[in-house]
Amino acid sequence: MSTFTTRHRTLGTAALAAVAVGVLAGCSGGVTGSTTEASGTFTFWDPYPQYDETSEWAKVIGSCAADAGVTVERTGFDTSDLTSRALLSGQQGDSPDILLIDNPAVSTLVEAGLLTSAGENNLEVGDVAENILGASVVDGETYGVPIGANTLALYYNPQVLSAAGVDISSVEDWVTLNAAIEKVVASGKKGITFSAIGTEEGSFQFLPWYWGSGAELTELDSADAVSAVQLWTDWVSKGWAPNSVINNTQTTSWEEFLTGEFAFAENGTWQKAAAAEAGYEVIPIPAKDGGAAAAPTGGEFLTLPVQSDPSRYEKSAQIVSCLTSTDNVVDTDNSLNYIAATPEAQQAQLAEDATLEPWIEAVNAAQARTGDNLGTRYPVISEQLWTAVQNALTGVQSPQDALTAAQQSVSAG
């Protein structure tokens, strides 16, 4: 096992490329140095600048720090900024004691040699659902503990479906979903909206359909993959989805859905409160042949970056263990709108809020984008995927040609 001090190395090209990965599962970013004193002040960086010191999130961090006998200096950064700051601070030997980082960025920081493993710090991860934990596993070693998870599902407007004579229980696969959308459009309403923007956000939204077809990220030009791109392309060409999806973010597509004109919208856990207020409901995204499609896991992992003073890890690990305890996840951390990462905590959440059932089902069917040991290869694959989708939706290429070109680019890289 390598030591804490020798694992820090120069940042590689692949890791720099992976900085571009942004996670769109609904969290965002302040600024401060990470220098700490031996006085018992520990630095903590997270992607939640929207939460100030009066928030429940800040209070639970303070409580966990107090239990460990230390104080915490917390800084929230924008998600897109946090990874690059973490990489730079690591290169300079000035990393925060605790880093809460977007899940696809974990492998980037591991490749750069900037994170210690859960095993090195005796952090317990055995109860974490395997599909959630997968984002922090690199070469069989785990490097973080999830604070929770979110994912995507299919929201629907019951009034629009009822007026079109559609029973939501009939929507079980792509054929029945298409039948429902066709009825809605025939009734004078709009079918479905989503985000197909040419960024990681577009890939994030496309992956449930891609994985739901049976396709794998190691073979972008498979027949299953083509069927998924064809599905979206048909929706747009038939007018079942608006042309605006090509530039839609998850926020703008949600704003379209809030007009009350659409039957369906693909979006995430973070919209569940707004959906409830609007009277919308949700089902897991259906796979091509039925069942819940695997959507990508969103959410962040608590990690312990490499420190020059190894004695600091013990207190940091205590804080992480406290933050990820079932009581804190269910009672306090749930202000983050996450589904818990362990079955025990999920059941506790469900006992308090029965409306979480479809989201727990969706999270349990989800999978990590960097899973299958893709690690820092994922950003390259993702960029080619969203480019192929964009080319197909705009008519520049057929779905088959777009994906063939995407696979060729990945292979050449």
Side-chain angles (χ1 to χ4, degrees), residues 127-262:
D127 292 338
V128 177
E130 187 175 346
N131 66 318
I132 297 174
L133 189 65
S136 75
V137 177
V138 179
D139 294 330
E141 194 80 47
T142 302
Y143 289 88
V145 185
I147 193 68
N150 54 27
T151 194
L152 298 165
L154 198 61
Y155 286 96
Y156 65 92
N157 185 326
Q159 291 185 334
V160 169
L161 292 185
S162 178
V166 175
D167 181 350
I168 191 61
S169 67
S170 70
V171 178
E172 299 177 336
D173 52 25
W174 289 5
V175 170
T176 51
L177 175 60
N178 280 338
I181 293 174
E182 186 172 20
K183 281 186 177 181
V184 166
V185 173
S187 75
K189 292 293 187 178
K190 298 176 181 178
I192 187 168
T193 184
F194 49 90
S195 169
I197 192 170
T199 66
E200 173 61 23
E201 198 162 0
S203 288
F204 187 74
Q205 286 244 314
F206 182 61
L207 280 172
W209 311 97
Y210 184 88
W211 283 331
S213 75
E216 298 182 1
L217 288 173
T218 51
E219 189 180 356
L220 296 180
D221 56 352
S222 69
D224 286 332
V226 172
S227 72
V229 177
Q230 189 69 59
L231 179 72
W232 273 22
T233 303
D234 287 346
W235 285 348
V236 172
S237 65
K238 292 177 178 179
W240 293 2
N243 286 324
S244 58
V245 300
I246 295 167
N247 296 310
N248 268 349
T249 64
Q250 292 179 110
T251 299
T252 55
S253 68
W254 185 253
E255 289 169 351
E256 286 180 337
F257 190 48
L258 287 178
T259 64
E261 293 295 308
F262 286 85

Side-chain angles (χ1 to χ4, degrees), residues 80-100:
S80 59
D81 191 33
L82 182 56
T83 303
S84 58
R85 286 183 179 273
L87 288 165
L88 181 60
S89 68
Q91 284 187 301
Q92 296 172 340
D94 193 30
S95 293
D97 290 286
I98 302 171
L99 176 66
L100 182 60

Side-chain angles (χ1 to χ4, degrees), residues 287-328:
K288 179 166 63 175
D289 297 324
T297 52
E300 292 82 30
F301 278 74
L302 285 156
T303 64
L304 301 187
V306 172
Q307 304 293 323
S308 58
D309 178 6
S311 68
R312 302 185 66 81
Y313 297 123
E314 183 178 356
K315 294 293 186 181
S316 296
Q318 286 182 40
I319 295 170
V320 169
S321 295
C322 176
L323 288 172
T324 54
S325 69
T326 295
D327 286 346
N328 276 329

Side-chain angles (χ1 to χ4, degrees), residues 7-13 15 91 111-114:
R7 288 175 60 248
H8 185 143
R9 64 180 184 273
T10 303
L11 184 64
T13 304
Q91 284 187 301
E111 181 167 303
L114 304 182

Side-chain angles (χ1 to χ4, degrees), residues 370-396:
T370 56
D372 298 327
N373 231 29
L374 288 179
T376 54
R377 287 184 294 154
Y378 172 75
V380 177
I381 294 169
S382 177
E383 182 174 2
Q384 293 305 319
L385 187 60
W386 82 58
T387 299
V389 170
Q390 285 265 305
N391 287 342
L393 293 182
T394 56
V396 173

Side-chain angles (χ1 to χ4, degrees), residues 9-24:
R9 64 180 184 273
T10 303
L11 184 64
T13 304
L16 283 170
V19 176
V21 174
V23 182
L24 310 156

